[in-house]
Amino acid sequence: MENKLSILIYEKEKHLNSILHQQILDTVDYEPYPVHDQIKFIELVNKKTFDICILNIDNIVSKSYDFFANLLDKNRNIHIIVYYDELINYHTPNNLKIILLKKPFKLSILLDKLDDIKLIKNKNKKIILMKHIEYLPNKKILTNLITEITLHLTEKENSLLNYLYNNRHLKLTKNNLLYDIWGVKKDVNTHTLETHMYRLKQKLSKLEPNLSFFLINEDGLYSLNIHK
């Protein structure tokens, strides 16, 4: 349930793909998704958002602008690390964040670049809950970009929302939330979670009257559902 940065690795050469995958897998802060063919790449991009993409530019020489535009369309805040033998002219969207590495390069340099990106993302983390709802967890602020209403969260409300968002694909028990957010051991009788959950839901409903995103408790399991 840790908040790991997801990394899409696109390298057609399977041995190098495996090396990159294993090196990144061995670090605790990242979750790698290696692919070696374009069909799988497109499937993953359409299915999941990524924080970082690492790729060999030789894999996408043709129609590079379309390739990057599609990646950016699905991953607005993605950072891309491109490595190459000889840099070929290619076209990218202006708002794409690209780091270039010339082969051969040391894996330690690649990992250093990943750590640099991690620092930037942690400092400027921005979550788009919906097209018009922006969440800045480091500032404990949510904003409705249409009405320009800004919502300030308490420390615990922010921790709760951020935790639920980072684990939005999971069903979480009350014990999960109490331990990971409050440090309370299991089987302790407390209404702390219910109280904070209620207050958070009240705030979210004021920000988004249609409740397009909401918190649910299903069979004693909590999750965050976001309806785009």
Side-chain angles (χ1 to χ4, degrees):
M1 296 181 190
E2 297 176 4
N3 182 20
K4 296 184 177 183
L5 294 181
S6 57
I7 301 179
L8 177 58
I9 303 170
Y10 183 39
E11 168 57 62
K12 290 184 177 180
E13 202 283 297
K14 292 185 179 181
H15 181 65
L16 179 54
N17 189 306
S18 177
I19 291 174
L20 292 173
H21 178 208
Q22 190 59 52
Q23 287 294 319
I24 295 171
L25 190 63
D26 287 341
T27 63
V28 298
D29 297 319
Y30 310 109
E31 185 176 8
Y33 293 80
V35 295
H36 54 78
D37 67 78
Q38 191 162 346
I39 294 177
K40 182 65 175 179
F41 173 86
I42 293 172
E43 288 178 353
L44 269 178
V45 169
N46 290 329
K47 181 179 179 180
K48 178 179 174 58
T49 58
F50 293 92
D51 297 296
I52 302 169
C53 179
I54 300 172
L55 60 90
N56 187 340
I57 192 62
D58 295 334
N59 294 165
I60 55 163
V61 172
S62 62
K63 297 183 179 180
S64 60
Y65 184 92
D66 292 341
F67 179 93
F68 285 116
N70 180 62
L71 183 60
L72 186 61
D73 179 59
K74 305 295 183 180
N75 304 264
R76 298 182 186 181
N77 298 310
I78 196 167
H79 289 251
I80 299 179
I81 298 177
V82 168
Y83 57 90
Y84 59 93
D85 288 306
E86 293 183 9
L87 191 58
I88 304 170
N89 290 330
Y90 64 94
H91 304 285
T92 66
N94 293 330
N95 52 342
L96 207 57
K97 310 173 185 74
I98 293 184
I99 296 172
L100 296 174
L101 291 179
K102 188 176 186 337
K103 292 172 63 178
F105 57 86
K106 294 182 179 179
L107 285 170
S108 60
I109 293 177
L110 173 62
L111 295 176
D112 286 343
K113 297 297 182 183
L114 292 178
D115 286 342
D116 289 342
I117 293 173
K118 180 181 69 174
L119 290 174
I120 293 172
K121 282 190 168 289
N122 286 341
K123 182 179 180 180
N124 303 315
K125 186 176 181 181
K126 179 190 296 184
I127 296 171
I128 305 299
L129 289 176
M130 300 169 62
K131 289 183 178 180
H132 63 295
I133 303 294
E134 181 180 271
Y135 174 35
L136 304 176
N138 292 330
K139 296 184 178 180
K140 302 187 285 290
I141 291 175
L142 292 106
T143 302
N144 187 317
L145 301 177
I146 296 176
T147 64
E148 297 185 352
I149 294 175
T150 296
L151 180 68
H152 295 270
L153 302 176
T154 67
E155 188 70 37
K156 289 303 182 185
E157 289 169 348
N158 186 60
S159 296
L160 179 58
L161 179 58
N162 196 26
Y163 185 89
L164 286 166
Y165 178 81
N166 290 333
N167 297 282
R168 58 194 177 280
H169 303 300
L170 302 176
K171 299 293 185 181
L172 303 165
T173 67
K174 180 177 179 178
N175 287 336
N176 289 146
L177 294 162
L178 285 175
Y179 183 79
D180 290 341
I181 297 176
W182 282 272
V184 176
K185 294 182 179 180
K186 65 179 181 178
D187 300 326
V188 174
N189 186 16
T190 175
H191 295 290
T192 296
L193 175 60
E194 289 82 357
T195 299
H196 282 83
M197 189 75 78
Y198 175 79
R199 291 174 180 172
L200 180 58
K201 287 174 71 174
Q202 292 296 104
K203 286 189 174 182
L204 295 182
S205 66
K206 292 179 182 179
L207 187 70
E208 173 49 59
N210 293 325
L211 290 177
S212 293
F213 65 96
F214 52 93
L215 303 164
I216 62 171
N217 181 344
E218 180 182 323
D219 299 327
L221 299 176
Y222 291 87
S223 67
L224 176 66
N225 282 352
I226 302 173
H227 294 266
K228 302 293 184 181

